[in-house]
Amino acid sequence: MDDEVRLNKYIADSGYCSRREADRLIESGKVTVNGRVAEMGERVTSKDKVIIDGKRIVRDEETILLIFNKPPGITCTTAEDDETNVVKYLNYPKRIYPIGRLDKYSEGLLLMTNKGELVNGIMRSRYGHEKEYVVTVDRPVTDELLRRLTNGIQLSEDEYAKPCFAEKTSRNKFRMIITQGLNRQIRRMCEKVGCRVTKLKRVRIIDIELGDLPVGEYRKATPKELKSVLSRIDD
């Protein structure tokens, strides 16, 4: 692969970090190309020697996208000192990291990739990508509870959960579709309307569905799923 690409994309394609983080590293002078400090916006090829913190960065041309059914107790982090680290759990042969997060005690669909631009493209709230959950709470689901959830909720002084979709599926359970990714958003929304989440399971991101994938297992995205995801993100 000798085609020139922007340095930030080259770094992101290696799985080292996202493009935005790559830009920060370049701006701070932590990236060198062929022995000299890299410049913002420069272009490189596979023949160039790109170094970050003493480690050579090699671009991976293969785009990996894994669909993982995360069990409760696994943490969406790459921190090596965390024994519940999702990367350790999967033990995948190539460097990958999670797209977004599910809190430690939530379960369900988690996407894993080696491409930084997928992380940004899928999870940035401005893109309005849907994420669907099955929510179980500690009280009966009423029309009033659903109304309050779907109308939008002020979570804190500077955080607002936008209006969303919620539909009752059983006595203590409902499905919910949101387009944001605020920290512990659904749990906090439920707390604001007087109930506590006892089980939270993500079942869909955009048009990728968890389906009947067993808990704790993963599969590779199909070509159709990967194409759909790539078509929805900014280059």
Side-chain angles (χ1 to χ4, degrees), residues 149-207:
L149 286 172
T150 57
N151 282 348
I153 298 174
Q154 194 73 42
L155 299 177
S156 66
E157 185 177 340
D158 56 357
E159 285 186 307
Y160 175 70
K162 297 177 181 178
C164 61
F165 173 86
E167 178 184 58
K168 181 177 179 178
T169 57
S170 66
R171 184 175 185 273
N172 288 65
K173 188 180 295 186
F174 59 94
R175 57 187 286 258
M176 190 170 188
I177 300 173
I178 62 175
T179 57
Q180 294 171 279
L182 303 176
N183 183 41
R184 299 179 67 253
Q185 179 173 340
I186 293 176
R187 293 182 186 275
R188 293 164 65 197
M189 290 175 71
C190 288
E191 288 170 4
K192 287 288 186 179
V193 299
C195 61
R196 181 177 64 85
V197 173
T198 59
K199 183 177 180 180
L200 182 61
K201 181 178 182 179
R202 185 159 63 195
V203 296
R204 178 173 65 87
I205 297 175
I206 312 176
D207 54 6

Side-chain angles (χ1 to χ4, degrees), residues 77-95:
T77 180
T78 58
E80 294 187 0
D81 59 350
D82 189 334
E83 290 303 316
T84 64
N85 175 339
V86 65
V87 176
K88 288 184 179 180
Y89 181 90
L90 288 173
N91 195 29
Y92 195 74
K94 289 192 175 183
R95 176 172 176 151

Side-chain angles (χ1 to χ4, degrees), residues 17-167:
C17 62
S18 68
R19 285 199 203 185
R20 178 176 291 184
E21 179 60 25
D23 283 337
R24 284 196 284 264
L25 292 170
I26 296 166
E27 285 182 330
S28 64
K30 295 181 178 180
V31 183
T32 64
V33 177
N34 301 325
R36 58 171 178 76
V37 176
E39 298 178 0
M40 288 294 295
E42 72 172 279
R43 304 179 73 85
V44 296
T45 73
S46 60
K47 295 180 180 179
D48 292 307
K49 190 175 182 180
V50 179
I51 304 289
I52 302 177
D53 291 334
K55 178 182 178 181
R56 181 164 187 179
I57 304 302
V58 179
R59 184 188 186 201
D60 191 343
E61 291 188 81
E62 179 189 11
T63 297
I64 297 168
L65 181 62
L66 303 182
I67 287 83
F68 174 47
N69 189 348
K70 185 187 94 66
I74 298 301
T75 308
C76 296
T77 180
T78 58
E80 294 187 0
D81 59 350
D82 189 334
E83 290 303 316
T84 64
N85 175 339
V86 65
V87 176
K88 288 184 179 180
Y89 181 90
L90 288 173
N91 195 29
Y92 195 74
K94 289 192 175 183
R95 176 172 176 151
I96 55 172
Y97 41 88
I99 298 177
R101 293 178 179 271
L102 274 176
D103 69 63
K104 186 173 181 177
Y105 302 104
S106 296
E107 58 188 277
L109 178 59
L110 180 67
L111 302 180
M112 304 287 295
T113 188
N114 63 334
K115 300 295 185 180
E117 63 261 37
L118 290 187
V119 177
N120 290 332
I122 293 175
M123 301 314 297
R124 283 181 184 169
S125 61
R126 73 166 182 262
Y127 294 114
H129 296 324
E130 290 186 347
K131 295 176 282 291
E132 182 175 347
Y133 299 78
V134 174
V135 188
T136 306
V137 292
D138 64 349
R139 54 170 277 195
V141 177
T142 63
D143 290 342
E144 174 62 13
L145 185 149
L146 295 178
R147 184 193 66 77
R148 293 179 64 191
L149 286 172
T150 57
N151 282 348
I153 298 174
Q154 194 73 42
L155 299 177
S156 66
E157 185 177 340
D158 56 357
E159 285 186 307
Y160 175 70
K162 297 177 181 178
C164 61
F165 173 86
E167 178 184 58

Side-chain angles (χ1 to χ4, degrees), residues 3-15:
D3 293 337
E4 285 191 345
V5 297
R6 289 176 65 91
L7 179 57
N8 61 354
K9 177 172 173 56
Y10 185 95
I11 294 170
D13 285 350
S14 76

